[in-house]
């Protein structure tokens, strides 16, 4: 199949899935409406919705994120299928997939914001205290319809909005980090990559004495890969704060209350301090600015509590220059202003935005202080900027009325300690470190590149940032993870994931989480989908708080693993990584997303993919879904045959009891009633009622479902027969007769033949009963050959005869492969007939009414005939042709275990029939004895090996006495009572001659 054909098939599959999901959504809506109606009329009864929720225990989760799950899968399938040829060490071919995942998260955030905007009072993930939703916001949100796409939002919460905001940030971080680690060298179309490719600046030539600092900055980012990576992370931290942080007005609201001037930061500056100064000047009739050294100033110009000296002037640095304080209300106002400036810088707001905000509040001088930042200003020489950063560094260390003022100057000057002090979360901590490291690297770049031009400028180019040693990304992240302040937030799974991406240790993160998921899965009992890992000697690097229900994290990690595997297939192929994918596949199966399973399982290693799908198939019971799954497995080039075989093996292993795995005892079904007593007389034991039973457990039903999958595959006759034989062997050896009977009734030899012979023989037939058809065809051909005289017609007839013989030979081959399977099916037919006979026989005892006797006798006769007919295949060459030694040993155990018990039960049925139906039936007991003792029969040997020959002899002796007793009951002399085939009971008419 060509690439276009495969693509068309995939598109058709996704269209079919969308249609199916739309139908299911419609049915769920109808079910929900029925729930609403029924809850009023009859709340005690189960509704359709209740039944659906019971069938799918994760339906709420599946409904909430179902659309996103499907979009992720569709993007993975379509974009990975259409991906460009990989070129060198570039991430060119995976970026569209990452960008699509970010877009999915962004669209989800937009829709959730429309739902929760009224109640979203605080959405910052940076450690600020969140407020709960008010009582007016507790009503169920209304689902949103956008562009014809219904998104189920009724099951979401405000926490889902926080999660999707963090997930969007995570995908954006991955998009940026991939381009930093695997830079794109190809020429990209601008329209397609406008929002995907990070715009790394181009070098503006070697820096010189007259270069602007902006040109040197651009060259610095273009030439230094480490600097570009730090810059990228800083920009991402700013974008994250902007997209998920609180509104500035909300942040400073608490400080506004202390400023005693109402909300909105009333643009009056230091209102209360100014009033104090004016009042003091009026009292002193002072015509010029107050001199702080004037007599009496220390005692007269003080705050209302007379505990602090107030400033005597109103210039911005007066309180640091005069070492005096402002009125308490103005201190709150000042702190609010600097807090707002810090938040705007932290979020990456442009200088124009900050200037507009400050000018509105008549504080334009603050904007001028910020204007010197190299990253926001294109004007100024590098010499002046160095001096400006020195000034900011000094202000961050020594000046300032508030810690946020120091933090603002710390960001501009590259100081670390002042910015760290205001860090309220992991992102703030990383921002402080990367900002300081980046400016330190820039200073080093200036010193290194400009010293070679003119050594006289060396005194200017000195390190402006802290004297601490520069730290790598790994060291920064490790320091953050160890800090008690951020311990709780650092254990957030998405925060921990972001830390691993920043420190380029995603592989270690996957290893830690894959090991943890395996431990959780095996905590209470052994998991069926992943093995228990070995105990780790060291603590994991990333101790994220994950549980078995962290489904969203599973989805994110699974797709990230696939992305990294595209870039480095060897490094990211590990057992721990596959544990995560397997766990996600299991979640999809539980959530009812069966059509997505092959897509994800096919990306595992061959052995793990087979095992993963084998674990999921038993839960797919709908025939249409099964056919679709087989088509998808073939489409993704999975080994369907191996998957079906593994499915059967795994279920059988699950069903085995530990102590029974190595058992060598023969199976011993209890068909006869060994508790039967008949007043001390020796009589034949009757058949036990209900010896097969009706109860089937989940594992037994799974193994039957597993075998049904073979009906969906064309061909594979030999494998199907082999698997069915193995299944029968296990069920019979373990005494699971109810499951074996259901298997014989659910997947019959006739059904398999009709399903597979169309592909194998050209037409659908039951090969077990098609011999007469072949003979009829031969007779018709022979008649036609005699009736025609044309040589050409005769030649065609000869070709037809050859085709008939070939067809007959092929049929014989198929019969030979299926012989053991048919024999096991015949065994179950005979067992079922025996149990049914016993049920009818018991009904005769329970209905003494004579009017019932006639109809009961017809029923017992029919049941008797069914037993006789079903026992015949077991008496002649039953299981005589095993395919190999392994099958021979298993068959031998089953024959020794089952045949003696069944023959004894059969003899009991014949004896009962001889008494209740016809005395001639007793002759069949003697026929049975002859059959067992026949020269070419192995039945006598089986009785001997089973140690039950004495029981057979006793049973036949009792039958012989029954025949003699029957002859003594008034048979008319001279009447030759003949049985079929000429047999007669006259031989038992023994008379003693009189003397």
């Amino acid at each position: 199949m060509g690439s276009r054909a495969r693509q068309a098939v995939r598109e058709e599959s996704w269209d079919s899935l969308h249609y199916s999901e739309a139908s299911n959504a419609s049915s769920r809506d109808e079910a929900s409406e029925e729930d609403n109606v029924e809850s009023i009329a009859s709340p005690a009864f189960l509704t359709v919705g209740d039944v659906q929720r019971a069938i799918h225990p994760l339906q709420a989760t599946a409904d909430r994120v179902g659309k996103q799950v499907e979009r992720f899968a569709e993007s993975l399938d379509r974009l990975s299928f259409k991906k460009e040829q990989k070129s060198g060490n570039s991430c060119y071919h995976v970026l569209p997939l990452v960008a699509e995942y970010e877009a999915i998260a962004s669209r989800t955030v937009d829709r959730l914001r429309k739902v929760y905007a009224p109640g979203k009072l605080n959405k910052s993930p940076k450690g600020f205290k969140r407020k709960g939703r008010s009582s007016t916001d507790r009503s169920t949100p209304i689902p949103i319809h956008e562009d014809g796409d219904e998104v189920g939002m009724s099951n979401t919460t405000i926490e889902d909005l926080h999660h999707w905001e963090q997930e969007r940030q995570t995908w954006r971080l991955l998009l940026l980090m991939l381009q930093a680690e695997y830079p794109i060298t190809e020429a990209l179309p601008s329209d397609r990559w406008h929002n995907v490719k990070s715009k790394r600046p181009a070098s503006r030539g070697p820096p010189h004495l007259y270069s602007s600092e902006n040109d040197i900055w651009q060259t610095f980012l273009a030439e230094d890969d480490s600097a570009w990576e730090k810059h990228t992370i800083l920009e991402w931290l700013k974008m994250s704060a902007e997209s998920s942080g609180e509104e500035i007005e909300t942040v400073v609201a608490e400080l506004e209350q202390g400023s005693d001037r109402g909300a909105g930061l009333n643009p009056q500056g230091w209102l209360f301090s100014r009033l104090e100064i004016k009042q003091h000047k009026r009292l002193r009739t002072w015509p010029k600015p107050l001199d702080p050294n004037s007599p009496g100033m220390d005692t007269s110009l003080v705050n209302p509590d007379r505990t602090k000296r107030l400033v005597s002037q109103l210039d911005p640095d007066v309180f640091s220059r005069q070492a005096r304080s402002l009125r308490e209300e103005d201190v709150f106002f000042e702190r609010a202003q600097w807090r707002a400036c810090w938040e705007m810088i932290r979020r990456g707001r442009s200088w124009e935005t900050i200037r507009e905000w400050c000018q509105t509040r008549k504080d334009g001088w603050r904007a001028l202080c910020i204007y010197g930042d190299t990253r926001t200003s294109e004007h100024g020489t590098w010499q002046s900027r160095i001096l400006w950063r020195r000034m900011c560094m000094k202000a961050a260390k020594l000046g300032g009325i508030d810690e946020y003022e120091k933090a603002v100057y710390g960001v501009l000057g590259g100081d670390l300690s002042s910015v760290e002090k205001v860090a309220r979360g992991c992102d703030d901590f990383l921002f402080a470190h990367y900002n300081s490291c980046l400016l330190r690297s820039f200073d080093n770049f200036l010193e290194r590149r400009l010293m070679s031009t003119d050594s006289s400028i060396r005194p200017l180019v000195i390190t402006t940032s802290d004297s601490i040693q520069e730290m790598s990304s790994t060291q920064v992240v490790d320091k953050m993870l160890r800090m008690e302040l951020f311990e709780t937030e650092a254990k957030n799974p998405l925060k921990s994931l972001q830390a691993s991406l920043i420190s380029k240790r995603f592989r270690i993160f996957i290893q830690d989480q894959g090991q943890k998921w395996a431990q959780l899965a095996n905590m209470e009992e052994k998991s069926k989908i992943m093995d228990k890992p070995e105990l780790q000697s060291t603590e994991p690097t990333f101790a994220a708080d994950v549980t078995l229900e962290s489904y969203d994290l599973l989805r994110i990690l699974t797709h990230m693993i696939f992305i990294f595997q595209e870039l480095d297939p060897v490094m990211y192929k590990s057992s721990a990584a596959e544990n995560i994918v397997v766990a996600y596949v299991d979640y999809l199966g539980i959530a009812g997303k069966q059509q997505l399973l092959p897509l994800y399982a096919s990306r595992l290693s061959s052995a793990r993919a087979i095992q993963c799908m084998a674990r999921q198939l038993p839960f797919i019971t709908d025939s249409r879904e099964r056919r679709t799954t087989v088509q998808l497995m073939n489409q993704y080039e999975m080994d369907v045959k191996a998957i079906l075989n593994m499915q059967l093996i795994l279920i059988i292993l699950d069903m085995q009891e530990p102590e029974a795995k190595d058992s060598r005892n023969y199976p011993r079904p209890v068909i006869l009633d060994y508790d039967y007593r008949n007043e001390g007389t020796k009589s034949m034991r009757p058949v036990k009622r209900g010896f097969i039973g009706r109860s089937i457990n989940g594992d037994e039903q799974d193994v039957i479902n597993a075998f049904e999958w073979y009906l969906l595959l064309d061909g594979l006759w030999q494998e199907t027969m082999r698997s069915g034989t193995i299944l029968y062997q296990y069920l019979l050896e373990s005494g699971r007769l109810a499951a074996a009977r259901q298997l014989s009734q659910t997947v019959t030899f006739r059904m398999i033949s009709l399903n597979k012979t169309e592909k194998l023989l050209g037409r659908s037939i039951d090969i077990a009963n098609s011999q007469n058809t072949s003979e009829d065809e031969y007779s018709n051909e022979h008649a036609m050959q005699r009736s025609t005289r044309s040589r050409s017609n005769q030649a065609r007839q000869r070709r037809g005869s050859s085709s008939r013989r070939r067809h007959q030979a092929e049929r014989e081959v198929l019969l030979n492969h299926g012989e053991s399977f048919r024999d096991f099916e015949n065994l179950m037919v005979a067992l079922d007939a025996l149990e049914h006979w016993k049920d009818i026989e018991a009904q005769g005892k329970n209905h003494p009414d004579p009017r019932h006797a006639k109809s009961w006798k017809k029923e017992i006769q029919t049941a008797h005939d069914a037993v006789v007919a079903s026992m015949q295949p077991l008496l002649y060459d039953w299981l005589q042709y095993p395919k190999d030694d392994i099958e021979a040993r298993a068959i031998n155990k089953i024959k020794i275990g089952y045949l003696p018990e069944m023959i004894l039960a059969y003899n009991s049925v014949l004896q009962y029939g001889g008494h209740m139906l016809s005395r001639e039936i007793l002759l069949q007991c003697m026929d049975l004895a002859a059959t067992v003792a026949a020269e070419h029969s192995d039945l006598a040997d089986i009785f001997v090996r089973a140690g039950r020959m004495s029981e057979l002899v006793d049973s036949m002796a009792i039958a012989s006495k029954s025949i003699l007793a029957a002859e003594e009951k008034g048979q008319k002399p001279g009447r030759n009572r003949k049985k079929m085939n000429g047999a007669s009971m006259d031989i038992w008419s023994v008379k003693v001659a009189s003397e």
Side-chain angles (χ1 to χ4, degrees), residues 671-673 676 683-688 834 837-838 841 864 867 901-915 921-922 925 928 955-956 958-959:
I671 302 175
L672 297 173
D673 188 356
Y676 175 76
S683 61
M684 199 175 297
R685 290 190 181 93
V687 176
K688 183 179 182 179
L834 282 170
W837 177 89
K838 182 61 181 178
E841 186 264 344
H864 174 87
V867 171
E901 185 81 358
M902 292 193 68
I903 290 174
L904 293 174
Y906 179 45
N907 198 34
S908 177
V909 172
L910 293 177
Q911 186 192 33
Y912 182 86
H915 289 291
I921 294 177
L922 292 172
C925 296
L928 178 61
S955 177
M956 292 302 174
I958 294 173

Side-chain angles (χ1 to χ4, degrees), residues 201-208 211-212 214-220 222-223 445 449-450:
S203 175
R204 300 190 180 181
H208 52 81
S211 297
S212 69
N214 184 262
D215 289 343
I216 300 177
W217 177 260
Q218 301 297 323
T219 302
F220 166 64
E223 296 181 359
F445 179 81
R449 298 296 293 271
L450 292 177

Side-chain angles (χ1 to χ4, degrees), residues 712-894:
L712 304 177
L713 303 183
D714 294 332
L716 295 183
W717 176 268
Q718 188 172 355
E719 291 79 4
T720 303
M721 294 295 104
R722 177 70 172 170
S723 299
T725 300
I726 293 174
L727 180 53
Y728 269 123
Q729 289 172 7
Y730 172 73
L731 293 176
L732 293 172
E733 285 181 10
S734 58
R736 302 173 186 269
L737 298 183
R741 174 170 61 184
Q742 181 163 333
L743 175 63
S744 68
Q745 296 172 350
T746 304
V747 190
T748 64
F749 183 85
R750 171 182 170 81
M751 184 186 301
I752 297 173
S753 178
L754 293 175
N755 270 275
K756 293 184 177 293
T757 50
E758 184 173 2
K759 182 71 173 181
L760 297 171
L761 302 178
R763 59 176 181 154
S764 179
I765 60 172
D766 178 8
I767 60 174
N769 299 315
S770 62
Q771 189 152 2
N772 293 335
T773 303
S774 299
E775 293 174 355
D776 293 342
E777 289 177 354
Y778 175 75
S779 300
N780 293 336
E781 289 179 4
H782 189 61
M784 290 178 63
Q785 188 170 1
R786 286 192 311 228
S787 65
T788 181
R789 296 181 180 179
S790 170
R791 292 186 177 181
S792 60
N793 287 341
Q794 291 178 6
R796 283 195 295 270
Q797 295 303 324
R798 285 194 295 272
R799 288 195 295 270
S801 178
S802 175
S803 174
R804 183 189 63 79
R805 288 192 295 271
R806 185 174 64 254
H807 179 274
Q808 184 68 16
E810 292 173 349
R811 190 185 71 85
E812 292 296 334
V813 171
L814 297 181
L815 281 173
N816 181 55
H817 288 309
E819 195 160 11
S820 296
F821 182 86
R822 289 177 60 204
D823 284 345
F824 281 122
E825 185 176 294
N826 290 334
L827 172 65
M828 294 315 305
V829 171
L831 287 171
D832 183 62
L834 282 170
E835 188 184 61
H836 178 68
W837 177 89
K838 182 61 181 178
D839 290 339
I840 301 300
E841 186 264 344
Q843 291 176 10
K845 298 178 180 179
N846 298 331
H847 294 277
D849 189 350
R851 291 174 297 180
H852 177 74
K854 186 175 182 179
S855 61
W856 173 83
K857 194 167 185 178
K858 290 182 180 180
E859 293 179 4
I860 197 68
Q861 180 68 60
T862 303
H864 174 87
D865 294 341
V867 171
V868 173
S870 63
M871 283 296 298
Q872 300 312 303
L874 275 64
L875 301 177
Y876 304 98
D877 295 334
W878 186 68
L879 290 177
Q880 291 288 341
Y881 307 102
K883 301 303 180 291
D884 51 45
D885 293 340
I886 298 176
E887 184 175 313
R889 287 192 294 270
I891 283 176
N892 184 57
K893 292 171 64 175
I894 292 173

Side-chain angles (χ1 to χ4, degrees), residues 92 95 184 186-191 193 197:
Y92 175 84
L95 284 188
I184 298 175
E186 298 88 345
L188 306 177
S190 58
D191 56 340
W193 298 84
K197 187 178 185 299

Side-chain angles (χ1 to χ4, degrees), residues 300-496:
S300 58
L301 190 58
V302 293
N303 64 351
D305 296 335
R306 309 188 68 81
T307 57
K308 295 180 181 179
R309 299 179 301 163
L310 297 181
V311 297
S312 61
Q313 299 171 7
L314 297 176
D315 52 290
D317 63 338
V318 63
F319 41 81
S320 58
R321 188 181 73 252
Q322 295 184 354
R324 289 172 174 265
S325 179
L326 297 172
R327 278 283 298 264
E328 190 67 23
E329 297 86 350
D330 294 331
V331 171
F332 275 102
F333 172 80
E334 188 72 5
R335 291 177 61 189
Q337 292 285 67
W338 283 116
R339 175 68 184 275
C341 289
W342 154 256
E343 288 292 335
M344 287 187 285
I345 293 175
R346 174 68 182 82
R347 301 176 190 203
R349 300 275 179 93
S350 66
W351 180 78
E352 288 76 11
T353 302
I354 298 175
R355 180 185 62 181
E356 181 180 354
W357 192 92
C358 292
Q359 287 179 342
T360 303
R361 289 152 179 80
K362 297 182 180 180
D363 270 339
W365 63 270
R366 299 183 199 271
L368 290 176
C369 293
I370 300 172
Y371 183 65
D373 190 357
T374 303
R375 294 160 289 190
T376 59
S377 173
E378 297 184 0
H379 306 287
T381 64
W382 60 269
Q383 296 93 336
S384 62
R385 293 298 171 81
I386 289 177
L387 296 175
W388 180 79
R389 282 199 296 277
R390 286 188 190 178
M391 178 196 71
C392 291
M393 174 71 71
K394 204 72 172 177
K397 289 183 175 296
L398 303 178
I401 193 173
D402 179 65
E403 60 182 3
Y404 283 102
E405 180 184 0
K406 295 180 180 180
V408 168
Y409 287 121
V411 171
L412 301 176
D415 181 58
L416 176 60
S417 59
S418 60
V419 183
E420 264 192 330
K421 290 178 181 178
V422 299
R424 298 294 184 267
C426 294
D427 286 0
D428 290 343
F429 177 86
L430 294 175
F431 178 83
H433 275 269
Y434 277 97
N435 178 78
S436 177
C437 289
L438 184 60
L439 291 181
R440 171 190 291 275
S441 298
F442 182 58
D443 288 337
N444 293 337
F445 179 81
L446 287 173
E447 183 177 5
R448 186 173 62 253
R449 298 296 293 271
L450 292 177
M451 272 183 57
S452 60
T453 303
D454 188 353
S455 59
S456 63
I457 63 174
R458 184 177 181 183
L460 289 175
V461 187
I462 62 173
T463 303
T464 58
S465 55
D466 293 352
S467 59
I468 62 173
Q469 183 179 1
E470 186 173 350
M471 302 169 66
S472 65
S473 294
T474 300
Q475 292 171 325
V476 172
V477 169
D478 286 343
K479 180 181 177 182
M480 178 190 73
L481 296 176
R482 290 192 301 268
M483 294 185 67
E484 186 177 355
L485 178 63
F486 308 127
E487 181 179 4
T488 301
E489 186 182 2
K491 288 184 178 181
N492 178 282
L494 286 182
K495 282 299 176 186
S496 187

Side-chain angles (χ1 to χ4, degrees), residues 563-766:
I563 290 168
F564 277 97
Q565 285 176 350
E566 290 291 331
L567 298 169
D568 193 336
V570 177
M571 182 175 293
Y572 294 95
K573 280 282 188 182
S574 66
S575 175
E578 291 194 333
N579 283 345
I580 294 174
V581 179
V582 168
Y584 184 61
V585 171
D586 189 61
Y587 158 64
L588 292 176
I590 296 174
K593 306 293 182 182
Q594 283 85 3
Q595 293 190 32
L596 306 182
L597 303 181
L599 169 64
Y600 291 93
S602 64
R603 291 177 170 265
L604 296 165
S605 60
S606 178
R608 199 73 186 269
I610 291 172
Q611 185 177 9
C612 178
M613 280 304 300
R615 284 298 187 188
Q616 299 301 323
L617 294 187
F619 304 105
I620 306 176
T621 56
D622 182 74
S623 59
R624 184 173 60 180
E625 289 183 355
R626 285 178 172 176
R627 286 192 294 269
T628 302
T629 302
V630 171
Q631 293 173 358
L632 290 172
M633 288 191 292
N634 287 322
Q635 178 180 312
Y636 293 112
E637 301 179 353
M638 301 185 75
D639 190 342
V640 180
K641 172 184 170 182
I643 291 172
L644 297 188
N645 292 337
M646 179 60 70
Q647 175 190 203
L648 208 58
I649 293 171
L650 291 175
I651 298 177
I652 290 176
L653 290 176
D654 293 339
M655 294 168 65
Q656 288 181 343
E657 298 294 334
E659 63 274 8
K661 288 184 178 179
D662 297 325
S663 175
R664 296 184 179 180
N665 297 328
Y666 300 126
R668 180 73 181 269
V670 182
I671 302 175
L672 297 173
D673 188 356
Y674 291 92
D675 296 329
Y676 175 76
R677 295 289 182 272
N678 190 11
E679 299 179 358
T681 62
K682 192 172 184 180
S683 61
M684 199 175 297
R685 290 190 181 93
V687 176
K688 183 179 182 179
R689 188 174 188 184
F691 64 88
I692 294 180
R694 300 289 175 181
S695 176
I696 296 178
N697 61 35
D699 286 336
E700 292 170 348
Q701 185 61 55
D702 287 346
V703 82
I704 296 171
N705 293 341
F707 187 63
E708 290 179 342
W709 283 86
Y710 285 90
L711 296 176
L712 304 177
L713 303 183
D714 294 332
L716 295 183
W717 176 268
Q718 188 172 355
E719 291 79 4
T720 303
M721 294 295 104
R722 177 70 172 170
S723 299
T725 300
I726 293 174
L727 180 53
Y728 269 123
Q729 289 172 7
Y730 172 73
L731 293 176
L732 293 172
E733 285 181 10
S734 58
R736 302 173 186 269
L737 298 183
R741 174 170 61 184
Q742 181 163 333
L743 175 63
S744 68
Q745 296 172 350
T746 304
V747 190
T748 64
F749 183 85
R750 171 182 170 81
M751 184 186 301
I752 297 173
S753 178
L754 293 175
N755 270 275
K756 293 184 177 293
T757 50
E758 184 173 2
K759 182 71 173 181
L760 297 171
L761 302 178
R763 59 176 181 154
S764 179
I765 60 172
D766 178 8

